[in-house]
Amino acid sequence: QQQVRQSPQSLTVWEGETAILNCSYEDSTFNYFPWYQQFPGEGPALLISIRSVSDKKEDGRFTIFFNKREKKLSLHITDSQPGDSATYFCAASDSAGNKLTFGIGTRVLVRP
Amino acid sequence: AQTIHQWPVAEIKAVGSPLSLGCTIKGKSSPNLYWYWQATGGTLQQLFYSITVGQVESVVQLNLSASRPKDDQFILSTEKLLLSHSGFYLCAWSPSAEEQYFGPGTRLTVL
């Protein structure tokens, strides 16, 4: 049973466009949602995160939009750059922390 | 600044042989520590976490075990490798049980 779902599995955008990555979850006790960026052969890097008390979090070109009622969130990458080409994972945990559940990831390719 | 080191970088082992992977955190006392497994092209599956020395919680059973012999060290091991153990093993640390920071990983191939 997949508790954290991501879509699409892969996404291709042109340089300068906005990439939109979607995530949804089942468990209503989840209240912390980090996004990780992973390049091939490397460990994932924490990109940006949001807590369920907020509906938006922005960090440079990366923005999370959160809809608690629908249990959905999305990551927007504006002005996409070829260096943003990577796999992005949505994850979730509850207030106890420590147990982090990951989605299957979205592979993003930014074409110059 | 905190640094996380994993060893070895890569390992090729035979089915049925033992395994020991290590992780060390420098620059942070009493971190929460985690082990994850990632199949090639797949998601991350949390295996174990530890809040303090000598205490390890199992999240999923994969015929693996973990130990925390020192505050800054986390060990993943098994006495008998299976083909299904192949993949990318990642250690992570957290200052607060929420944000987790990953190491560079160990690539394991079981033949």
Side-chain angles (χ1 to χ4, degrees), chain A residues 77-94:
Chain A
I77 308 173
T78 57
D79 187 25
S80 296
Q81 302 297 308
D84 296 331
S85 298
T87 299
Y88 293 82
F89 289 97
C90 172
S93 71
D94 59 24

Side-chain angles (χ1 to χ4, degrees), chain A:
Chain A
Q1 181 185 353
Q2 217 176 346
Q3 291 201 56
V4 177
R5 291 194 167 97
Q6 286 188 251
S7 65
Q9 279 192 274
S10 64
L11 177 65
T12 299
V13 297
W14 293 103
E15 183 174 354
E17 291 185 332
T18 297
I20 299 176
L21 290 65
N22 300 303
C23 181
S24 64
Y25 61 97
E26 305 276 335
D27 193 335
S28 57
T29 65
F30 286 157
N31 62 2
Y32 171 69
F33 304 90
W35 285 83
Y36 285 84
Q37 178 190 57
Q38 186 178 31
F39 296 105
E42 297 182 8
L46 180 59
L47 187 63
I48 186 173
S49 63
I50 194 167
R51 290 183 169 77
S52 58
V53 293
S54 302
D55 55 14
K56 181 180 177 182
K57 178 81 172 286
E58 201 168 340
D59 185 357
R61 297 185 294 107
F62 300 91
T63 303
I64 300 174
F65 293 93
F66 181 70
N67 185 322
K68 187 174 182 177
R69 184 179 60 82
E70 294 188 8
K71 297 182 185 174
K72 291 182 178 178
L73 56 158
S74 60
L75 175 68
H76 292 223
I77 308 173
T78 57
D79 187 25
S80 296
Q81 302 297 308
D84 296 331
S85 298
T87 299
Y88 293 82
F89 289 97
C90 172
S93 71
D94 59 24
S95 55
N98 286 315
K99 291 185 185 178
L100 202 52
T101 300
F102 281 78
I104 61 170
T106 294
R107 184 175 291 183
V108 175
L109 177 63
V110 182
R111 292 194 183 278

